[in-house]
Each structure stands twice: as C-alpha cells, then as structure tokens.
Amino acid sequence: MSKKFVQAITAIDEDFAQWYTDVVKKAELVDYSSVKGCMIVRPYGYAIWENIQSYLDKKFKETGHENVYMPMLIPESLLQREKDHVEGFAPEVAWVTHGGNEKLAERLVVRPTSETLFCDHYSKIVQSYNDLPKKYNQWCSVVRWEKTTRPFLRTTEFLWQEGHTVHATAEEAQEETLLMLDTYAKMCEEFLAIPVIKGQKTEKEKFSGAHSTYTIESLMHDGKALQSGTSHNFGTGFAKAFDIKFADKDSEMKYAHQTSWGVTTRLIGAIIMVHGDSSGLVLPPKVAPTQVVIIPIAAHKEGVIEKANELQARLATVARVKCDTSDKTPGWKFSEYEMKGIPVRVEIGPKDIENHQAVLVRRDTREKIVVSLDELEIKVAELLEDIQRHLYEKALAKREAMTYTAKTMDELKENAQNRPGFTKAMWCMNQACEDKIKEEVGFTSRCMPFAQEEISQTCVCCGEKAKTMVYWAKAY
Amino acid sequence: MSKKFVQAITAIDEDFAQWYTDVVKKAELVDYSSVKGCMIVRPYGYAIWENIQSYLDKKFKETGHENVYMPMLIPESLLQREKDHVEGFAPEVAWVTHGGNEKLAERLVVRPTSETLFCDHYSKIVQSYNDLPKKYNQWCSVVRWEKTTRPFLRTTEFLWQEGHTVHATAEEAQEETLLMLDTYAKMCEEFLAIPVIKGQKTEKEKFSGAHSTYTIESLMHDGKALQSGTSHNFGTGFAKAFDIKFADKDSEMKYAHQTSWGVTTRLIGAIIMVHGDSSGLVLPPKVAPTQVVIIPIAAHKEGVIEKANELQARLATVARVKCDTSDKTPGWKFSEYEMKGIPVRVEIGPKDIENHQAVLVRRDTREKIVVSLDELEIKVAELLEDIQRHLYEKALAKREAMTYTAKTMDELKENAQNRPGFTKAMWCMNQACEDKIKEEVGFTSRCMPFAQEEISQTCVCCGEKAKTMVYWAKAY
C-alpha cells in the first residue's frame, strides 16, 4: 500500500514540471480555485507560510520596522504618478470599474504592489528629519494578471510582505536596502536550508521605478534559477514623483530616500523544488509545521497506543509533534507523511516497547536509527538539527556542482543546452549583449554577485572589456 | 503645552462623532487614503489589531481550527450560486471587469465575504464522514461598497477573519456556532474589557443565506449599539447550493452542515467608543501595544535618563514598556501618551530618585500613586490588572445604567428620544412590527438575548402575545 501511494506521483527526474504539480496537490499544499490563475492555499501550505511569516515578522520588528495596512485598491491617477512604475505594472493589473451598481468616475487597480500608496501617505506624514526614518511593512496579497500560472511560482494573486521605508540620507537608505537583503538571505539559508547568491540586478532586470535592485537567487533541482527575494533602493525617484520632502537639521528642504523589499509565497515553491524527491515534499525541520510524526505499529496490541501517546507528550517538549492513531495501515501512514515531508518519523510497536526503544526514520536520507527510550528527546532534537544542516549542505553541494563558467558564446550555449544550472560569465554591462544572450542562449542575467570572480577579461558576448561577472541561468 | 495638545480634540460630550474622528486621527490609528472610503491603518492602529489577531488565532487553533487562504476574486457565476446570499451582497460589491489590457469573459467581484469560495472548495475535498469536520479560518480584507464611511466602523475595505466550518450533523454545527460566539464574547469581555449581550438575530437581521445568526452586541458611550461579532449556522442551505455531500457511517449520502463567523477591525472602533474620553483613547492593558510609558522629569539632570532606562529594563519583565527620552517637554509627552491611551505612565525625576520612588499615573482614573522603587514591578503589574478590571466594570455599570425597558410604543419612542442606550421590550416575532419600530421609533432589533426576561406579556408594538424579549437600540 505504501508503494501504491508513492507511485501516484511522477518521478522527479522523469518530468519535473509534472512532479511539481503532483507534489503541491498530493501534499495538500494548494488546490485550484474557480478563478483562473488563483490558488487556494490549504492548511498545510498556509502553515508553512505562517512559519515564514513568524520568522520574518520577528526580524522586521527587531530591526525597528512596524506593520501597517494600506488599501488594496489604487486610483489610476495615483498609479500613474511615477512614470517607470506605471509602465512596468499597468499591463498586468486587474481593473475595478464598477462599485455596487454604479460605474466609477475613476478606475481603480487591485494593488500589484503598494509603492504609490505608501508614497502618497509618506508625503503627508513626513515633514521633518525628526519624522525619519519611517520603516513600515505590510503583509497582504497582490494581484498581477498572468497568462500562464503555476502554484506558488507564478499566480495571478499571491501572498507576500512588502517593506517600504523612508530615510534622510542616501547612505541610510542603502544600508537599509542591504540589511533587508541580508535578512532574506539568512532566512533562506538558516531557516529554509536554501543557499542563495546575493547580488545586484542589471538595469534591464531591476524593479520598475527603482534606482537599484538587489536580489537573492537560488537554484532548483532542475537547474533553473528562482529569484527568491528582492530589495530595492529607490534613491529619490519616488520622493520626487510624490513630493516627499523634509526639513533637514540644516533647515533645508530635501527629498527623502526610499527603499522597498519583499518576499512571497514563491518561497514555498523554492522549498519544494530544492529539497523534494520522488516520494514528495522534504521539509527542513525549522519551517516544518509538524517536525515529528509518531506512528504506532500493531496498534491493536495492548499498550501500543498508550505508549505512542506518551512519546508524543514527551517529544512535545522538544519539537512540533503529531501522533497518528487513526486506523490507516502503518504503510499508508509512512507514505502519507513522506509525501508531506515530515522530517522525522518515530515508529513504536510491541517489540520496541519490550526492548525499551523506538525507531527513528529520517525523511531526508531514509536512514533508520534505533534509540533507547531514555534518550528519545535528546536524540530527536539532535536529529532535527542534523537534518536541517544536512539539507542545507546537500543543496549547497548540488548548486556548486551545477555552477559552470563560460568565456565565449559557444561555451554559454553549450552550458544552456547540456548543463542545467548557473553559468558564471563576464559582461560588458551593455544591454545589447544581455538581450542577445537571452535571445540566442535562453539565459537571463540573474545577478551581478557581491562575490565577484574574474572568469575572463572580456565580455562573454561581444568580446569587449568586461566590467562585471554575472550569474546567468534559465529561470522561473 | 499639555493643555493645548489636549484641547486640540473635541470634548466627548460636545460632539461625539467629531470626537471620534479627532481621536482616530490624533492617536495616529488611521489616516485617510486617496481611495474614497478606504482607510490606512497606521502602525499604532495595526498593533492593536495584531494583538486581537494573536489572541483569537491562538483560541482558534486551540479549538482545532486551521488557517487557509482563498482567492480575493470571485467569479460572478459562483457568487450567484446561493440565491439569498447573492441578493444580500451583489448590490455592494466592487467589480473587476478587465485584466491587463483585456476585457474579462466573466466579471469578478472583489470578495465581500468568502462563503462561495469555501463552499466550492469543500464540495471538492469533502467525500466521507472521515473528512469531517473541516474547520478553516482566514485572515484577510474584504470590500463592500459603502456610501457613507467612518474609520473602523464602516469602510469600503476592512480587515477581518472569517471562519468557515463543515460538520456531519446539525448538532455539531450548532455547537460550533455557539462555541465561536462564546470565543468572541470572552475576547470582548476579558481582553477588550467590553461587556456584550449574546443573542440571536431576527430573521430580518440575519446574514444573507444563513439559517440562523448569533451576535454579540455592545453599547457605545453615546448610547448606540455596535454589532461586535457574528456567528452563523447555515444548516444545509449552502451545502445544497454547492453540493457538499458526504458518505456517512451508515453509507448514506448526506448534505453537510456549515457555519461561518467573523469579527473585524470594527472592534477597534468599539474600544475607542467604549473606553475613550476627552483626552483621547483609553486602552485596556491586555490589548495595549504599549502598556507602560516611562517619562523622565528634568531629564537634563544627572542620572535621570540612566534611571529611566534602568526602570524600563526592569519593567520589561512584567509589561510592554517604552521609555521616552526625546527632547519634548514632559507636559507634551503626558498629553501625547494620554491621547494614545497608554494605561500607565511612570514619572521619574531627581526628587523621586532621591526618595527611591517613582510616580505611577493611571490613564483611566488619572490617579497618582507614589511607589517605592523596590516594589516597582509588582505594583505596575497589579495596577495593570486593576485597570483592566476597572475598565470592564465601568463599562458594564454604564451599560446597565443605559439599559431601559418599554411596554408600549410610547415608552419605546420616549426612550429613543430621551434615553440613549438599549431598550428591552417584548416582541411577537412578526416582521411587520419590527419594520414599524424601525420606521416610527428609529430602533433596530439588536438581538433576542439568550438571557431572556419577561418585561410584559404582549408585543410592544401590536399588543399581541409576545414570543421573545428583544434588545432594541439605535446602532452603528
């Protein structure tokens, strides 16, 4: 029965896209809704998001950020205030044209992002250097009209947080931009066990209206890159468009410097595609809603259910633990919790009770470990830490093995065709070359990493003098 | 300076509506946005909402509920599935007609509530009694096109939670409906210090599509009632419209029984209007983002700031505490934190330090209490408890003093004109009488309370035999 359940999903290396769809459905992360491109985030998927929220919200507050809530509707005229911004977003928004039974005098967009609302508000509440900095964040959903969608990765509506800050100086804004990028990077690496490349986006790939955009990029199992979080320095661009000025200490009126930064439910897609396998989801313990599941073996035998419940109570002191005493077979339960990626399974049966032991099974390596019941809490806690570390190390080793270099267009094409992953190659910073690489190779520039290397001295495309190293890849 | 700041708001008994508007603005709870009828919830207002969320979310989870996220857009055809429901909501929804640059084949509404989406989802995931109950909750915002709006009380968009559950039996659904009503009532009374009347809505006032609606009603300072939370038993009405059927233990296919229940940011309006005074907001300690503010007196004197910071560190072990060492005058700070309703102010100056004491000032009674620094933590903790209790008792006494009875239409009219508050009066359960009372008296039926009394034996309106006692009032 265990086998049958597992075989219900496509093997990961047979058809990755189908495997992904199978996992999100079978692990009960999402369901499709009756609105095209919008997903229902089911309890198990939402619980993962709540853990991410709770980790980040704490970090945001520790660094002096406050949560607010802005309206979900934006008047067309407000969206149009910043030229680049409206050009970037107008083609992909949902338009509200009627309220109740009446046609609206001015159309409204369902927020695709809230810079314009935050800026409008800041222009009213920021007058003096004493009012600065303002460091606000909002947890909400946004809507972007997408033609092709995939759960978590690209949906018409998605959940996210958007931070928006205002500062007196350019230095402070840049510091904030990088601090938040770092917060995201740490969250990915320490909490989600996903290694990331930190760097700057090219002019072409930066956010509509930003002065500069920074990104963390991660690598999925199939060798495609996923932009996993971005942090933007707006300079004074939005402040000028929205007239956000303040009287500085020297009494001069100055434009404020702004940032914005965000991560989305896309991170759940990253967790699936970095750690998952052909049996389903594999969750890093820190983000797993349930870290340990206890499964009684031969549960009808006297004392087994009682012992399982006793172990649950004991383990609740060190982990988020669940005990499944339902009447499904153990094999069925094994498969179900493997599908859901629960890090540790504890098996307890009559023989185990007799030997004063339990069997621990790791989801990541399938390794079975017999432990004395005297040491249960300590062994489980150690195992969870080890799984968290192992998943990160495995993902990092995999990314390193899938990171290549190229000095010429031929090498770049060769990598694009035969070597899924990142390619590090030099670039002249001319957009014509970036466009040509996208067209001829199929790679987009993921970022100009902070950790630069000199792969060669010339641009991989035009052969002119190189100015920066870029991570190139196919991307989600 | 203190006086000036306070005088900036209207006195509470001079113009209650203007006082309310002044408080929400001056206490920095909200700001108006550029979208008519939509408000910006500022950090201080949002922090109050976060405390309410965190209280309720814990209770929901303890009683087996799980959070999910449904799309914010609903296809017109889905909204129309349940007849009463669409009639109730269609006149007040926002319509999305275009996505990107294209006109949509089917119009979408921005959710005014999500019954239809939950039902559609439940119809897919509920097959057997083994799948029941499903107890889901969602934190989100909803949009209802309102003509006249007031911050927190009635806005085009507002934040709320909506619980939606499915059960195998009518008994279980009714139990859930009342359990959640009780959860809301406890939250109001124990956390927000707001006494409530629990009861059932009349047929006329019940939720569109519900079998029965239960409510908690509270009384504001001006004698108007505020519906503060509702819990609905849907019976099998939605299940029939959405085909939510399950194979029961006896193998028969049966329609499921459903409930829904919600509270909104309107609760913040209730806190303001129940506890506030002419100096601004008065927050019950349990829901206050900051419970204690420390204000150094003669802060330029040696050791004062250091002592204030020391007290902050000590009080952080028993309360959410803030220390304001800014260069504003103490008088200005007193007024500002009174406006924000912070329950306890701690004053510490050179003379206090010399006498090894601090001055505590209660926001609710203005009472000053000199305490030895040795007892600071214990006294502050006691004071917070006392303020919480006192605010509840005061609100309860006020509601009792403002609750009247009527046996005739003349008495009812007399109360409506001269006695702001609740009027308890008997009713024959005929809607004609309810309509007539609304038209001639200006009272709506707030609820048929669980705690019934026999005010008289005949309906206050038609004189026929009475079937129930009703709380009548003018309402927000």
Side-chain angles (χ1 to χ4, degrees):
Chain A
M1 194 174 242
S2 159
K3 221 173 164 196
K4 200 169 142 198
F5 191 96
V6 171
Q7 285 178 343
I9 73 165
T10 309
I12 190 166
D13 291 320
E14 189 185 311
D15 179 346
F16 189 68
Q18 187 58 48
W19 168 84
Y20 180 81
T21 307
D22 289 352
V23 172
V24 296
K25 282 280 290 180
K26 274 278 186 183
E28 300 189 335
L29 298 172
V30 301
D31 198 6
Y32 295 95
S33 78
S34 52
V35 187
K36 203 183 154 290
C38 291
M39 62 180 170
I40 291 164
V41 185
R42 299 187 66 181
Y44 197 55
Y46 200 82
I48 296 173
W49 182 237
E50 285 183 309
N51 286 345
I52 293 173
Q53 278 192 304
S54 137
Y55 174 98
L56 281 179
D57 202 69
K58 192 160 167 272
K59 300 286 177 200
F60 294 163
K61 285 176 177 156
E62 281 169 6
T63 45
H65 299 87
E66 301 176 290
N67 285 334
V68 297
Y69 188 76
M70 292 281 160
M72 70 152 76
L73 301 172
I74 308 174
E76 185 169 13
S77 56
L78 195 65
L79 189 73
Q80 285 173 339
R81 202 83 78 78
E82 210 287 333
K83 193 180 61 64
D84 292 334
H85 189 67
V86 66
E87 274 176 21
F89 284 102
E92 57 175 46
V93 296
W95 292 99
V96 173
T97 58
H98 292 71
N101 297 317
E102 284 166 32
K103 191 172 178 198
L104 303 179
E106 180 180 12
R107 298 196 299 175
L108 305 169
V109 306
V110 180
R111 64 177 162 230
T113 179
S114 308
E115 273 72 15
T116 54
L117 292 167
F118 277 89
C119 286
D120 191 37
H121 181 54
Y122 283 140
S123 74
K124 291 178 201 159
I125 65 167
V126 171
Q127 269 108 39
S128 138
Y129 71 93
N130 270 321
D131 300 324
L132 296 176
K134 289 276 183 237
K135 304 202 283 183
Y136 290 174
N137 175 63
Q138 161 166 290
W139 293 96
C140 64
S141 77
V142 289
V143 168
R144 297 176 187 178
W145 219 256
E146 300 281 358
K147 293 240 189 296
T148 41
T149 59
R150 301 187 64 194
F152 296 122
L153 300 177
R154 192 170 296 276
T155 46
T156 298
E157 182 186 9
F158 56 86
L159 294 166
W160 81 345
Q161 60 67 221
E162 46 180 324
H164 297 269
T165 68
V166 196
H167 307 268
T169 67
E171 294 68 32
E172 210 183 296
Q174 180 66 5
E175 206 175 287
E176 168 80 7
T177 308
L178 296 180
L179 172 68
M180 298 327 287
L181 190 78
D182 237 45
T183 303
Y184 291 157
K186 277 206 186 102
M187 184 261 300
C188 281
E189 304 200 325
E190 294 171 6
F191 196 65
L192 310 183
I194 297 175
V196 296
I197 307 284
K198 290 191 282 187
Q200 188 173 353
K201 285 284 185 191
T202 63
E203 281 295 299
K204 179 189 163 98
E205 299 285 340
K206 76 179 187 188
F207 181 80
S208 312
H211 173 266
S212 46
T213 288
Y214 299 88
T215 180
I216 47 171
E217 300 281 328
S218 54
L219 196 66
M220 304 298 105
H221 175 82
D222 63 346
K224 277 170 133 176
L226 188 82
Q227 177 181 305
S228 304
T230 48
S231 186
H232 318 289
N233 186 337
F234 286 158
T236 54
F238 276 90
K240 283 174 182 159
F242 285 84
D243 203 34
I244 308 172
K245 277 190 290 206
F246 67 98
D248 205 351
K249 285 178 189 166
D250 58 14
S251 299
E252 266 186 58
M253 292 304 292
K254 293 179 187 166
Y255 283 110
H257 298 260
Q258 289 178 271
T259 83
S260 91
W261 27 274
V263 294
T264 79
T265 32
R266 177 167 247 228
L267 288 170
I268 300 175
I271 296 170
I272 301 167
M273 295 197 293
V274 167
H275 302 301
D277 64 23
S278 291
S279 302
L281 201 57
V282 176
L283 289 179
K286 286 188 183 170
V287 77
T290 301
Q291 297 172 313
V292 178
V293 63
I294 299 168
I295 297 177
I297 310 294
H300 58 282
K301 293 275 175 70
E302 203 193 317
V304 173
I305 298 263
E306 291 72 11
K307 185 54 103 178
N309 286 332
E310 181 197 317
L311 299 190
Q312 179 184 20
R314 283 177 55 186
L315 285 175
T317 60
V318 295
R320 294 184 288 269
V321 61
K322 189 176 154 164
C323 179
D324 187 344
T325 55
S326 72
D327 56 7
K328 297 173 198 165
T329 66
W332 181 270
K333 291 177 190 172
F334 294 171
S335 298
E336 189 179 337
Y337 296 113
E338 279 175 10
M339 183 62 67
K340 292 203 159 185
I342 293 177
V344 173
R345 174 171 90 220
V346 178
E347 303 173 7
I348 181 88
K351 232 166 76 186
D352 298 310
I353 296 172
E354 207 182 298
N355 296 330
H356 196 62
Q357 67 182 36
V359 180
L360 312 186
V361 185
R362 293 172 67 135
R363 173 64 183 88
D364 58 343
T365 59
R366 305 292 174 85
E367 190 189 347
K368 284 193 179 207
I369 307 144
V370 177
V371 297
S372 156
L373 289 183
D374 296 333
E375 295 187 309
L376 186 67
E377 291 92 334
I378 197 161
K379 288 292 178 190
V380 166
E382 278 173 14
L383 197 52
L384 289 171
E385 270 181 44
D386 196 56
I387 293 170
Q388 182 81 27
R389 187 170 45 241
H390 173 253
L391 284 175
Y392 177 77
E393 280 165 6
K394 192 177 153 196
L396 182 61
K398 197 160 157 190
R399 186 191 76 190
E400 280 171 359
M402 292 171 91
T403 299
Y404 306 90
T405 58
K407 294 180 182 173
T408 64
M409 277 295 264
D410 282 345
E411 285 177 16
L412 209 55
K413 284 178 194 168
E414 170 69 16
N415 287 355
Q417 274 168 26
N418 301 321
R419 297 186 189 101
F422 282 126
T423 292
K424 298 184 283 191
M426 306 307 287
W427 179 47
C428 62
M429 292 189 85
N430 191 328
Q431 198 184 313
C433 288
E434 191 180 3
D435 290 340
K436 194 174 170 190
I437 289 169
K438 187 173 181 186
E439 202 188 306
E440 294 186 6
V441 181
F443 275 167
T444 51
S445 71
R446 304 317 308 155
C447 71
M448 302 177 283
F450 294 158
Q452 283 282 320
E453 298 163 53
E454 192 174 52
I455 307 301
S456 64
Q457 297 189 323
T458 56
C459 173
V460 71
C461 181
C462 67
E464 298 291 313
K465 189 171 160 41
K467 291 189 178 153
T468 184
M469 184 189 90
V470 167
Y471 273 90
W472 305 89
K474 291 176 186 167
Y476 280 97
Chain B
M1 192 174 243
S2 159
K3 223 174 160 194
K4 200 169 144 200
F5 189 95
V6 171
Q7 285 178 344
I9 73 163
T10 308
I12 189 166
D13 290 320
E14 187 184 312
D15 179 347
F16 189 68
Q18 186 58 47
W19 169 84
Y20 180 82
T21 308
D22 288 352
V23 171
V24 296
K25 282 282 290 180
K26 274 279 184 177
E28 300 188 336
L29 298 173
V30 301
D31 198 6
Y32 295 95
S33 78
S34 51
V35 188
K36 201 179 155 297
C38 292
M39 62 180 172
I40 291 164
V41 186
R42 300 186 65 181
Y44 197 55
Y46 201 81
I48 295 174
W49 182 238
E50 284 183 311
N51 286 346
I52 294 173
Q53 279 192 304
S54 136
Y55 174 99
L56 281 178
D57 202 68
K58 190 159 168 276
K59 300 286 174 199
F60 294 163
K61 285 175 177 156
E62 280 169 7
T63 45
H65 299 87
E66 300 177 291
N67 286 332
V68 299
Y69 189 75
M70 292 281 157
M72 70 152 78
L73 301 173
I74 308 175
E76 186 169 10
S77 55
L78 195 65
L79 190 71
Q80 285 172 338
R81 203 82 78 79
E82 209 288 335
K83 193 182 59 67
D84 292 334
H85 189 68
V86 66
E87 274 176 21
F89 284 103
E92 56 176 46
V93 295
W95 292 99
V96 173
T97 58
H98 291 71
N101 298 317
E102 284 166 32
K103 190 172 179 199
L104 302 180
E106 180 180 11
R107 298 195 300 175
L108 305 170
V109 304
V110 181
R111 64 176 162 232
T113 180
S114 306
E115 273 73 13
T116 53
L117 293 166
F118 276 89
C119 286
D120 190 38
H121 181 54
Y122 284 140
S123 74
K124 291 179 199 156
I125 64 168
V126 171
Q127 269 107 38
S128 138
Y129 71 92
N130 271 321
D131 300 325
L132 296 176
K134 290 278 183 231
K135 304 202 283 182
Y136 290 174
N137 174 64
Q138 161 166 289
W139 293 95
C140 65
S141 76
V142 290
V143 168
R144 297 177 188 177
W145 218 256
E146 300 281 358
K147 293 239 187 300
T148 40
T149 58
R150 300 186 63 193
F152 297 121
L153 300 178
R154 191 171 295 278
T155 47
T156 297
E157 181 186 10
F158 56 87
L159 295 165
W160 80 345
Q161 60 67 220
E162 46 180 324
H164 296 269
T165 67
V166 197
H167 307 268
T169 67
E171 293 68 34
E172 210 184 297
Q174 180 66 4
E175 205 176 289
E176 167 81 6
T177 308
L178 296 181
L179 173 69
M180 298 326 286
L181 190 78
D182 236 43
T183 304
Y184 291 157
K186 278 208 186 99
M187 185 261 301
C188 281
E189 304 202 324
E190 294 170 6
F191 197 64
L192 310 183
I194 297 175
V196 296
I197 308 285
K198 291 192 280 185
Q200 189 174 352
K201 285 283 186 191
T202 62
E203 281 297 297
K204 178 188 163 101
E205 298 286 339
K206 76 179 189 189
F207 182 81
S208 314
H211 173 267
S212 46
T213 289
Y214 300 88
T215 180
I216 47 170
E217 299 281 328
S218 55
L219 195 67
M220 303 298 105
H221 174 81
D222 63 346
K224 278 169 134 176
L226 189 82
Q227 177 182 304
S228 305
T230 48
S231 185
H232 317 289
N233 186 337
F234 287 156
T236 54
F238 277 91
K240 283 174 183 160
F242 286 86
D243 203 34
I244 307 171
K245 276 190 291 207
F246 67 99
D248 205 351
K249 285 177 188 167
D250 58 13
S251 299
E252 266 185 59
M253 292 303 291
K254 294 180 186 164
Y255 284 111
H257 298 261
Q258 290 178 270
T259 82
S260 91
W261 27 275
V263 294
T264 77
T265 32
R266 177 167 246 228
L267 289 170
I268 300 174
I271 297 170
I272 301 168
M273 293 196 294
V274 168
H275 303 301
D277 64 23
S278 291
S279 302
L281 202 57
V282 176
L283 290 179
K286 286 188 183 169
V287 76
T290 301
Q291 298 171 311
V292 178
V293 61
I294 300 168
I295 298 178
I297 310 294
H300 57 282
K301 292 275 175 70
E302 203 192 319
V304 174
I305 298 262
E306 290 72 10
K307 185 52 100 175
N309 286 332
E310 182 196 318
L311 298 191
Q312 179 183 22
R314 284 177 55 187
L315 286 175
T317 59
V318 294
R320 295 185 287 269
V321 59
K322 188 175 155 168
C323 179
D324 186 345
T325 56
S326 72
D327 55 9
K328 296 173 198 163
T329 66
W332 181 271
K333 290 177 191 173
F334 294 171
S335 299
E336 189 179 339
Y337 296 113
E338 280 176 9
M339 182 63 67
K340 293 203 158 184
I342 293 176
V344 173
R345 174 172 91 218
V346 177
E347 300 173 9
I348 181 89
K351 231 166 74 186
D352 298 309
I353 297 173
E354 209 181 296
N355 296 329
H356 195 61
Q357 68 182 37
V359 180
L360 311 186
V361 185
R362 294 171 69 134
R363 173 65 182 88
D364 58 343
T365 60
R366 304 295 175 79
E367 192 190 347
K368 285 193 177 203
I369 306 144
V370 177
V371 298
S372 157
L373 289 185
D374 294 334
E375 296 186 306
L376 187 67
E377 291 92 334
I378 195 160
K379 289 292 180 190
V380 165
E382 279 173 13
L383 198 52
L384 289 171
E385 271 183 43
D386 195 56
I387 293 171
Q388 183 81 26
R389 186 169 44 241
H390 174 253
L391 285 175
Y392 177 76
E393 281 165 6
K394 192 176 152 196
L396 183 61
K398 197 160 154 188
R399 187 192 75 190
E400 282 172 357
M402 291 170 91
T403 300
Y404 306 90
T405 59
K407 294 180 183 175
T408 63
M409 278 295 264
D410 281 346
E411 285 178 16
L412 208 56
K413 284 177 193 167
E414 170 69 19
N415 287 355
Q417 275 170 26
N418 301 319
R419 298 188 187 100
F422 282 126
T423 292
K424 297 186 282 191
M426 306 308 288
W427 180 48
C428 61
M429 292 189 86
N430 191 329
Q431 199 185 313
C433 287
E434 192 180 2
D435 289 341
K436 193 172 168 191
I437 290 170
K438 187 172 182 189
E439 203 187 306
E440 295 187 6
V441 180
F443 275 167
T444 51
S445 71
R446 304 318 306 154
C447 70
M448 301 177 285
F450 294 158
Q452 284 281 320
E453 299 163 54
E454 193 174 52
I455 307 300
S456 63
Q457 297 189 324
T458 56
C459 171
V460 70
C461 182
C462 66
E464 297 290 313
K465 191 171 157 47
K467 291 188 179 153
T468 183
M469 184 190 88
V470 167
Y471 273 90
W472 305 90
K474 291 178 185 165
Y476 279 96

